[in-house]
């Protein structure tokens, strides 16, 4: 090795011994990377990087290395999980002190309490209830039309697959645990399902279908149309609570179900593409 080639190497070694690497990251304060948090740095130094415990049982437990700086960092940059942690502690107290509803009593629903006045208005005005029910049915048809349109016309099957997953799961869950209709339920012959027939309460297909359509619109950057659907979904939820057509939990799970099954449909499409990559015959564009 020539003297000119050895000189940069010796220089790098000297800088490494002095505590500075060539990438400008100091060893003294253990900054492993620009985006590492204090706890992540501790995990890497203890040999737990990438989920591998380098030191096994001999390595120091992570919590034993936490400092005040770590706590402040988490509180500042991860305040949302901190709020959920506080919620966990709060509802643990509620769960152990809350009196259960007697078996022969009506279920308690906070949404029903909030919409008590709306329920009285709709009960005293059947014509208004019918108009709102008809508008709700129109909104359901709008959801259905958009979801089917994305597949048949635009050649994108994700929203349709998500809806198929969602309604099948809803049918299984709705049949498995059949909740009683509230005593002050206000039905209508023009409401969906049309004809005032029986339906599964858990979970809300109205809300989940609207979420699936809205998520697809946002994915396609149709933000104004998505905002319209989100607003109509909120109004739809208020009406469903007011008519006692759904419990609050049905609506909340409906939101989560729309997000979940949209994600599962995306994963299904990705797996389908990977499968077809190994075939000689290319797949059709609709899937």
């Amino acid at each position: 090795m020539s003297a000119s080639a050895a000189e940069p190497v010796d220089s790098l070694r000297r800088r490494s011994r002095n505590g500075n690497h060539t990438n400008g990251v100091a060893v003294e304060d253990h900054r492993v990377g620009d985006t590492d948090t204090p706890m992540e740095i501790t995990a890497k130094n203890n040999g737990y990087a990438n989920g591998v415990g380098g030191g096994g049982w001999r390595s120091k437990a992570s919590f034993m290395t936490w400092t005040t700086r770590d706590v402040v960092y988490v509180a500042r940059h991860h305040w949302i999980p901190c709020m959920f942690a506080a919620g966990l502690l709060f509802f643990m107290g509620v769960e152990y002190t809350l009196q259960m509803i007697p078996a022969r009593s009506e279920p308690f629903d906070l949404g029903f309490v909030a919409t008590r006045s709306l329920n009285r208005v709709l009960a005293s005005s059947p014509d208004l209830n019918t108009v709102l029910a008809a508008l709700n049915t129109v909104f359901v048809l709008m959801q259905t039309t958009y979801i089917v349109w994305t597949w048949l016309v635009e050649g994108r099957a994700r929203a349709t697959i998500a809806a198929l997953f969602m309604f099948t799961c809803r049918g299984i869950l709705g049949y498995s645990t059949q909740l009683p209709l509230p005593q002050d339920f206000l039905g209508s012959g023009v409401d969906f399902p049309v004809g005032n027939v029986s339906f599964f309460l858990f979970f809300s297909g109205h809300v989940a279908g609207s979420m699936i359509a809205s998520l697809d619109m946002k994915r396609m950057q149709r933000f104004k149309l998505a905002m319209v659907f989100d607003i109509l979904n909120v109004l739809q939820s208020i009406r469903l609570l007011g008519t006692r057509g759904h419990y609050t939990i049905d609506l909340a799970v409906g939101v989560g179900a729309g997000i979940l099954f949209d994600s599962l449909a995306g994963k299904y499409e990705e797996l389908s593409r990977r499968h077809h990559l190994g075939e000689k015959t290319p797949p059709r564009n609709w899937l």
Side-chain angles (χ1 to χ4, degrees):
M1 182 183 294
S2 63
S4 59
E7 182 178 356
V9 175
D10 293 337
S11 177
L12 291 176
R13 288 174 179 171
R14 286 195 298 272
R15 277 188 286 175
S16 178
R17 285 195 296 269
N18 291 334
N20 293 322
H21 290 286
T22 56
N23 58 1
V25 180
V27 176
E28 295 175 355
D29 58 359
H30 305 290
R31 283 180 293 181
V32 181
D34 293 339
T35 60
D36 289 331
T37 66
M39 289 185 180
E40 289 171 339
I41 294 170
T42 301
K44 291 181 180 180
N45 291 336
N46 286 344
Y48 289 104
N50 300 321
V52 179
W57 289 103
R58 297 179 180 179
S59 298
K60 187 181 295 185
S62 176
F63 75 91
M64 296 178 64
T65 63
W66 293 352
T67 64
T68 304
R69 180 189 174 196
D70 294 330
V71 176
V72 172
Y73 182 91
V74 170
R76 288 181 57 189
H77 298 279
H78 299 285
W79 57 271
I80 294 179
C82 289
M83 289 180 59
F84 282 111
L88 168 65
L89 297 176
F90 173 77
F91 283 107
M92 283 180 64
V94 171
E95 185 173 0
Y96 281 96
T97 57
L98 185 67
Q99 295 295 321
M100 298 299 293
I101 302 298
R104 296 184 179 275
S105 299
E106 276 284 290
F108 172 79
D109 193 294
L110 191 60
F112 288 5
V113 175
T115 57
R116 194 174 289 162
S117 58
L118 177 60
N119 179 262
R120 286 196 294 263
V121 170
L122 295 177
S124 61
S125 179
D127 291 338
L128 177 61
N129 182 43
T130 300
V131 170
L132 295 180
L135 292 175
N136 182 77
T137 300
V138 170
F139 181 46
V140 173
L141 293 175
M142 290 168 59
Q143 301 172 25
T144 306
T145 301
Y146 179 84
I147 290 173
V148 175
W149 177 279
T150 59
W151 172 40
L152 295 181
V153 178
E154 298 181 1
R156 297 182 299 104
R158 177 168 174 171
T160 305
I161 294 172
L164 293 175
F165 286 179
M166 182 270 291
F167 279 109
T168 301
C169 181
R170 177 178 180 267
I172 294 172
L173 294 177
Y175 185 80
S176 299
T177 301
Q178 301 175 40
L179 302 175
L181 276 176
Q183 292 182 358
D184 48 356
F185 168 69
L186 301 174
S188 173
V190 297
D191 201 354
F192 187 86
V194 179
N196 204 16
V197 297
S198 61
F199 57 91
F200 297 128
L201 281 170
F202 187 85
F203 47 86
S204 175
H206 292 75
V207 173
S210 180
M211 281 298 303
I212 290 172
S214 175
L215 289 170
D216 185 87
M217 294 169 186
K218 292 169 184 173
R219 199 160 41 241
M220 300 304 296
Q221 298 185 353
R222 298 164 178 166
F223 297 114
K224 292 183 178 179
L225 186 58
M227 183 174 64
V228 170
F229 263 60
D230 289 339
I231 293 173
L232 292 176
N233 202 9
V234 172
L235 296 176
Q236 168 185 244
S237 299
I238 295 173
R239 189 200 75 89
L240 288 170
L241 289 174
T243 60
R244 309 306 191 237
H246 273 296
Y247 294 104
T248 301
I249 192 173
D250 305 330
L251 306 176
V253 175
V255 173
I259 297 173
L260 171 64
F261 289 109
D262 176 77
S263 176
L264 291 178
K267 294 182 184 299
Y268 173 81
E269 283 191 327
E270 181 62 27
L271 290 174
S272 179
R273 291 191 191 98
R274 291 180 183 178
H275 173 73
H276 287 303
L277 284 177
E279 296 183 356
K280 295 181 180 179
T281 304
R284 296 179 180 271
N285 292 330
W286 62 269
L287 195 60

